[in-house]
Amino acid sequence: MMETLRLRPSRASLTLAGLFIAWAVLVAMGVAHHTVWRDEMRALSLALHAPNLLGVPAAAQGEGHPVLWYLLLRAAYDVFHTTAVLPGLGLTFAAAGVALMLWRAPFPIWWRGLFAFSGLALFEYAIIDRNYGVCMPLMFGLALLIGEQKRRYGWIAALIFLTTQTNICATLLAPLYVLVLLPDWRSGPKARLGIAICACAAVAGFLAAVAAVYPSRHDLVTASMSLQGSLWRKLTTSISLPGLQHSSLLNGHGLAIWSSHLSPMLGGLILTLLMFGICAGLLPDLDLVGAALIGAWATAAFGALVYPLYYRHSGIWLIFVISLYWIRGKRSSTSSSRTLPSPVLTALLAINLFFGIPEIAASFTRPQSDSRALATVIARDPSLRDATLLPEPGEFGEGVLYYVDNPMYLAREHAFATLASWRRGSTIDLTLKNLLQIAETLRATSGHPVVILFAQPLQPEGGVFDAGFSRTLRYTPADYVDFIHMTQSIPMPPASDEQFSVYVLR
């Protein structure tokens, strides 16, 4: 009888299992209704462009991300031979991160549950199939290893290097774990050697990530992101008001909870105070405070000078800070009162609860993209199963290829391809008349129907419409009439991001 009692799971174990199951059920519902869109499918298409796994780094060079995600996608595809590896990998890393948080983090159970159901862990890094969520279990793994009394520096160095290869924000933050290790310097030669190895791994990872990202293959993108205004002013603003760049932590990815009532400057000031309060909560551990502050400033400067920060980017800093509180909790394991993160961090995490579940609920009625709806139309209509896709702009057709294997022709690049590029050699100024002529040529040469999809609805009055990265689509009212006469419209459901206007050439 006593043996039976000892084998019964504790209340805490049942609670943790219940939290994980509830998280998994919500994520499964979200995945079932999630529509793959262009930025998600693009990574898989690029990985499959390489002749083999060893060729992936060369194929991904200059795309804008380190290579780890592409390598993982190609390796998984080579094993399973299905595009389902795209959501499968994202789910695997998200589940690993949430499991580490629930079962290994030194925080109260209710706080661990708060994280599991935040917008980051529940939606952005679990349901959205991007490379950003990969660093969540890696950073938590670093917190777990650094928090141990007996450091395993080889494993720490390996995780630091891998973290730098997940995304650029993580590339900026991962080397700061070496700063956290510096208090070990006095522990003796073995510790100093371990710290040196970790520092070398951080430098090597940083350089490898930079080499993978620069120079960019998309000169139209870099030209559109050229610096405007004072460089010095942007740098000083990033240091004094990092919350101005990290404002998505207050309102999620376009989910206007606070921003509709606050000016950008006021919202940035409020979030800056919250961020500084979060960093101060790591006192008296100055190494942790310094890592958190430098991380906030570095990512804010990146957002100001290179690329604007969205929820997925700023969330990496939040994951990083949580890992620092994890390390602090392990350092002070004898004091249970110190295992609770600061109230400011808890409040910011609670705000993020208003993103994940509403986004999952919204996906039931409004998909993020029309890509699956268009693919369904093509698959169900025998006359369209061999149709050629003609998207404008070209990148908006990439997500459709997750669901169908129809050929896709890029009008601006005058070639069949599965990936668009943004280069000056492509057609910058395209007309609707040119596009119609291209569609007629494709049908004449292939004998197959042509499905034309636009990222924005056509207007009877014509005009000049922005296709992004300095590209334009021009047409007159007469061009519009000719196009409508030569095509048949296919209605698409309203989407939250990629909403298509679709036509079939008659």
Side-chain angles (χ1 to χ4, degrees):
M1 182 67 176
M2 291 298 294
E3 290 296 325
T4 301
L5 290 174
R6 288 180 188 147
L7 291 175
R8 287 179 180 173
S10 66
R11 181 179 298 178
S13 298
L14 290 173
T15 301
L16 292 174
L19 287 171
F20 188 81
I21 292 172
W23 174 87
V25 168
L26 287 173
V27 169
M29 293 169 61
V31 169
H33 289 84
H34 175 64
T35 300
V36 173
W37 65 312
R38 64 184 187 278
D39 282 1
E40 296 171 297
M41 183 58 189
R42 185 176 180 85
L44 180 59
S45 295
L46 191 147
L48 297 182
H49 264 221
N52 50 49
L53 184 62
L54 295 179
V56 169
Q61 201 284 323
E63 180 66 16
H65 298 281
V67 300
L68 181 59
W69 182 238
Y70 304 113
L71 288 169
L72 291 170
L73 287 171
R74 180 55 185 264
Y77 188 88
D78 286 348
V79 173
F80 298 104
H81 304 287
T82 172
T83 57
V85 298
L86 183 60
L89 273 176
L91 278 173
T92 299
F93 282 97
V98 170
L100 281 172
M101 169 60 67
L102 290 177
W103 275 279
R104 300 304 299 271
F107 309 135
I109 289 179
W110 66 265
W111 202 96
R112 287 176 263 171
L114 186 68
F115 172 81
F117 295 98
S118 68
L120 295 174
L122 186 64
F123 185 81
E124 192 67 49
Y125 298 155
I127 295 173
I128 300 297
D129 306 319
R130 299 291 301 276
N131 56 327
Y132 299 96
V134 178
C135 67
M136 182 167 63
L138 294 179
M139 286 185 170
F140 290 165
L142 280 165
L144 190 65
L145 291 173
I146 296 174
E148 293 178 341
Q149 290 186 348
K150 187 177 180 181
R151 304 276 192 271
R152 290 179 281 182
Y153 292 103
W155 285 106
I156 293 173
L159 288 187
I160 288 175
F161 180 85
L162 288 174
T163 303
T164 63
Q165 303 307 299
T166 57
N167 58 79
I168 289 298
C169 289
T171 301
L172 298 173
L173 295 172
L176 297 174
Y177 286 108
V178 179
L179 179 61
V180 176
L181 292 170
L182 286 181
D184 293 351
W185 193 260
R186 299 178 181 177
S187 300
K190 185 177 180 180
R192 287 193 285 272
L193 177 61
I195 294 171
I197 292 173
C198 292
C200 289
V203 172
F206 183 88
L207 294 177
V210 172
V213 171
Y214 295 104
S216 173
R217 69 173 70 182
H218 305 296
D219 49 17
L220 286 178
V221 177
T222 54
S224 68
M225 292 162 51
S226 59
L227 296 179
Q228 298 179 357
S230 169
L231 175 64
W232 175 251
R233 182 169 55 109
K234 289 186 175 184
L235 285 174
T236 54
T237 302
S238 298
I239 293 175
S240 59
L241 281 175
L244 197 60
Q245 295 298 325
H246 288 279
S247 59
S248 57
L249 289 175
L250 281 182
N251 66 353
H253 185 66
L255 186 65
I257 297 174
W258 298 74
S259 60
S260 60
H261 305 291
L262 301 174
S263 69
M265 188 62 68
L266 180 57
L269 175 61
I270 291 174
L271 184 56
T272 295
L273 294 176
L274 289 175
M275 294 175 72
F276 287 162
I278 289 170
C279 297
L282 291 164
L283 289 170
D285 296 4
L286 295 180
D287 56 326
L288 300 180
V289 174
L293 282 173
I294 295 172
W297 291 328
T299 49
F302 176 81
L305 301 177
V306 181
Y307 189 83
L309 300 181
Y310 296 100
Y311 188 52
R312 56 186 175 272
H313 307 114
S314 294
I316 303 298
W317 179 81
L318 195 58
I319 297 295
F320 174 69
V321 168
I322 290 172
S323 74
L324 297 181
Y325 271 93
W326 185 323
I327 294 169
R328 182 178 182 271
K330 297 298 290 185
R331 286 178 179 178
S332 57
S333 58
T334 57
S335 173
S336 60
S337 62
R338 294 189 67 192
T339 60
L340 179 64
S342 74
V344 184
L345 176 57
T346 303
L348 185 57
L349 197 60
I351 289 172
N352 281 264
L353 285 175
F354 294 95
F355 173 64
I357 294 178
E359 282 291 319
I360 293 175
S363 68
F364 281 65
T365 56
R366 191 179 182 93
Q368 190 168 14
S369 171
D370 277 336
S371 58
R372 179 159 55 184
L374 176 55
T376 301
V377 170
I378 293 174
R380 290 178 177 175
D381 188 340
S383 67
L384 297 179
R385 288 179 185 172
D386 295 322
T388 300
L389 299 178
L390 182 60
E392 169 49 35
E395 61 268 21
F396 272 75
E398 294 177 8
V400 184
L401 300 184
Y402 178 82
Y403 301 100
V404 296
D405 58 0
N406 294 63
M408 184 170 75
Y409 189 84
L410 305 179
R412 294 181 183 271
E413 300 178 40
H414 312 288
F416 285 95
T418 58
L419 287 168
S421 64
W422 303 284
R423 299 176 180 176
R424 287 192 172 92
S426 61
T427 301
I428 303 299
D429 190 10
L430 183 68
T431 68
L432 187 61
K433 185 177 182 179
N434 294 150
L435 193 68
L436 186 59
Q437 290 172 345
I438 291 171
E440 291 176 324
T441 301
L442 288 172
R443 185 179 60 182
T445 55
S446 68
H448 297 146
V450 178
V451 175
I452 309 170
L453 60 108
F454 296 93
Q456 52 192 352
L458 298 177
Q459 304 297 334
E461 63 271 18
V464 181
F465 295 90
D466 183 11
F469 308 125
S470 303
R471 300 170 302 175
T472 58
L473 175 67
R474 300 172 182 267
Y475 58 98
T476 65
D479 293 334
Y480 173 83
V481 171
D482 290 341
F483 183 86
I484 295 300
H485 177 72
M486 295 292 294
T487 60
Q488 178 181 351
S489 175
I490 299 178
M492 288 286 110
S496 61
D497 192 330
E498 292 180 348
Q499 184 164 346
F500 301 156
S501 294
V502 181
Y503 300 86
V504 177
L505 189 64
R506 293 182 188 272

